[in-house]
Amino acid sequence: MASVMDSAGLAERYRPTCLGDVLGQERIVKVLERLPTFGGRAFWIAGPSGAGKTTLAKIIADAIADDFATVELTGRELTSGELNGLLETAYRGRPLGGRGWAIVVNEAHGLSRHAVERLLDCLDSGAIPPWVVWVFTTTLAGQDKIFDDMIDAHPLLSRCLELPLALRGLAEPFARHALNIAIAEGLGAEADYPKVLRLVKDKRNNLRAVLSAIEAGALLGDD
């Protein structure tokens, strides 16, 4: 029987698990490596799809919490009531048998005004316990929208360490990485770097989309 890892897509199987393996985001990596701990902090990661938001969020979360103590939420579905319950659990103390709590809020641009107002209190300076880390992820377009529509969003961002993803210089490292994966998986033994580079550019530097295309045979020759 195939394992869960065996059945996962290429993007998940080859997802970096440490900062040293993150591609194209050298500035962010340096910032994170200099921090003594991620606990007691909130991070705001904004960038395009497939550029590394989820990867960075997972690395940050894994540094503080085990899988069972990592809570993943979607911004538009998060209510003040759910926040209160989460805070009552995570802020009270470390999980039984665990190191800490990681709270990841994806699509943070979907947060309601009431959720943002509640977050302002629990993310205030010194309010986050040292065993808790928050990670918010959003697209750049989504970030612009929440700031345009919600006056209280700016104080929310000021309570977070901003990690805007680099937009330039991604195609070359993504192409080299994708080509190595394709060759290792037998999905592009005859492919060359220029072909993979074109694929990366066609997918607008979305590495997840590139690896999905490779998995679907984009680099295999015609029979």
Side-chain angles (χ1 to χ4, degrees), residues 38-44 60 73 78 83 86-87 90-91 101-105 119 122-123 127-129 132-136 160:
F38 298 155
R41 293 179 177 272
F43 297 88
W44 184 278
I60 292 171
L73 307 164
L78 185 58
L83 263 175
L86 179 60
L87 293 171
Y91 277 40
W101 294 94
I103 306 168
V104 180
V105 182
L119 283 167
C122 58
L123 299 181
I128 307 175
V132 174
V133 65
W134 289 81
V135 186
F136 299 89
C160 303

Side-chain angles (χ1 to χ4, degrees), residues 8-187:
L10 293 182
E12 191 60 36
R13 287 166 54 196
Y14 286 91
R15 184 187 299 280
T17 57
C18 65
L19 290 174
D21 291 336
V22 173
L23 298 173
Q25 303 298 335
E26 288 79 9
R27 187 192 67 82
I28 288 179
V29 168
K30 287 181 180 178
V31 169
L32 292 174
E33 287 180 336
R34 290 174 180 172
L35 295 177
T37 178
F38 298 155
R41 293 179 177 272
F43 297 88
W44 184 278
I45 305 175
S49 297
K53 295 191 300 295
T54 299
T55 293
L56 285 167
K58 286 182 176 294
I59 290 173
I60 292 171
D62 288 346
I64 294 294
D66 303 291
D67 286 344
F68 70 86
T70 297
V71 182
E72 289 201 47
L73 307 164
T74 302
R76 65 179 179 277
E77 299 173 355
L78 185 58
T79 66
S80 296
E82 289 172 327
L83 263 175
N84 289 335
L86 179 60
L87 293 171
E88 185 176 343
T89 300
Y91 277 40
R92 180 183 298 174
R94 300 177 190 273
L96 185 63
R99 296 171 293 147
W101 294 94
I103 306 168
V104 180
V105 182
N106 296 310
E107 299 179 23
H109 53 271
L111 287 166
S112 69
R113 182 180 297 274
H114 292 301
V116 169
E117 290 173 349
R118 184 68 184 92
L119 283 167
L120 294 182
D121 293 330
C122 58
L123 299 181
D124 210 353
S125 178
I128 307 175
W131 59 83
V132 174
V133 65
W134 289 81
V135 186
F136 299 89
T137 70
T138 181
T139 61
L140 294 173
Q143 175 176 285
D144 292 341
K145 183 178 186 301
I146 190 174
F147 292 157
D148 288 341
D149 295 349
M150 192 179 303
I151 192 171
D152 287 333
H154 288 282
L156 171 60
L157 185 60
S158 71
R159 286 162 167 78
C160 303
L161 181 61
E162 293 183 68
L163 301 176
L165 296 188
L167 303 180
R168 297 182 179 180
L170 300 180
E172 290 78 7
F174 280 7
R176 289 192 293 270
H177 183 60
L179 178 58
N180 289 336
I181 290 175
I183 293 173
E185 294 289 331
L187 293 169

